[in-house]
Amino acid sequence: MDTHEETTGQPATFTTGVTLPAATEDRDRLTVAFRFFLALPHLILVGGPVAAFSSIVWSDNDGWSWGWGTSGLLGVVACFAAIIAWFAILFTGTHPEGLWKLKAYYLRWRVRAIAYMTLLRDEYPPFGDGVYPAELVLAQPTGERNRLTVAFRFLLAIPHFILLGLLGFVWAITTAIAWVIILLTG
């Protein structure tokens, strides 16, 4: 039983969220104009706004294939770490701390890179961990994990993946519109 649950009688909750102060005035038109090129190092390392699992695609000619381009080099490592952690949780009931830290590191970096690439901030993001206005807050899970929900996690997430695909499409359109507006009005 979690310490929080022992003392309060309530199950523990895990705080997760993104903090991102709005940047709506005095935008840097020059960096906005060349944002894709400026963001290329981050895109190569941690990818763009498309989720890592959307890189698994079906083709009539090739069948299932893996395209790592949207998740970046570190994203591929984080994906394999997630697969290993899935098996570890199934067999041991706990999430290996080192694998969790690697995935959290990747996700925090990715949030900063995406905030920059999608024009939410003008400051260039740091490589790796560092101070940046866009911040991902994650609480490390402690204690025993529910093996049954972990076992069926991928199936339970299918509706979520579908919705994320639709939202990603809308996000791409609104980012393109924002790019033009910022270039014209600053």
Side-chain angles (χ1 to χ4, degrees):
M1 188 181 293
D2 185 32
T3 308
H4 178 78
E5 190 172 352
E6 289 173 358
T7 58
T8 65
Q10 299 292 323
T13 57
F14 299 104
T15 305
T16 302
V18 175
T19 58
L20 180 64
T24 57
E25 297 178 5
D26 299 324
R27 302 300 303 267
D28 187 348
R29 292 184 195 182
L30 184 60
T31 63
V32 168
F34 298 102
R35 184 64 49 99
F36 177 77
F37 298 107
L38 292 171
L40 273 176
H42 289 284
L43 291 173
I44 292 168
L45 294 170
V46 294
V50 180
F53 288 110
S54 66
S55 298
I56 301 171
V57 294
W58 173 261
S59 167
D60 289 335
N61 297 335
D62 301 328
W64 290 104
S65 64
W66 173 264
W68 59 270
T70 58
S71 64
L73 298 174
L74 187 56
V76 172
V77 173
C79 183
F80 284 113
I83 293 168
I84 294 167
W86 183 79
F87 281 107
I89 294 168
L90 283 182
F91 292 119
T92 68
T94 59
H95 197 293
E97 183 179 350
L99 293 176
W100 186 89
K101 286 182 177 181
L102 171 70
K103 294 181 297 177
Y105 173 81
Y106 163 71
L107 289 173
R108 285 191 306 269
W109 185 352
R110 186 175 170 92
V111 163
R112 291 188 295 270
I114 290 173
Y116 179 74
M117 194 189 79
T118 58
L119 309 173
L120 297 173
R121 298 300 303 182
D122 280 342
E123 303 90 356
Y124 196 78
F127 286 89
D129 273 336
V131 177
Y132 194 71
E135 180 185 10
L136 176 65
V137 178
L138 295 171
Q140 186 169 351
T142 57
E144 189 82 10
R145 301 288 301 271
N146 185 332
R147 294 178 190 189
L148 185 62
T149 60
V150 170
F152 294 106
R153 181 83 29 109
F154 187 74
L155 291 175
L156 295 172
I158 289 174
H160 183 71
F161 290 147
I162 292 169
L163 183 60
L164 280 178
L166 295 172
L167 287 173
F169 176 73
V170 172
W171 189 14
I173 291 171
T174 58
T175 299
I177 293 168
W179 184 76
V180 171
I181 291 171
I182 293 170
L183 283 179
L184 296 177
T185 66

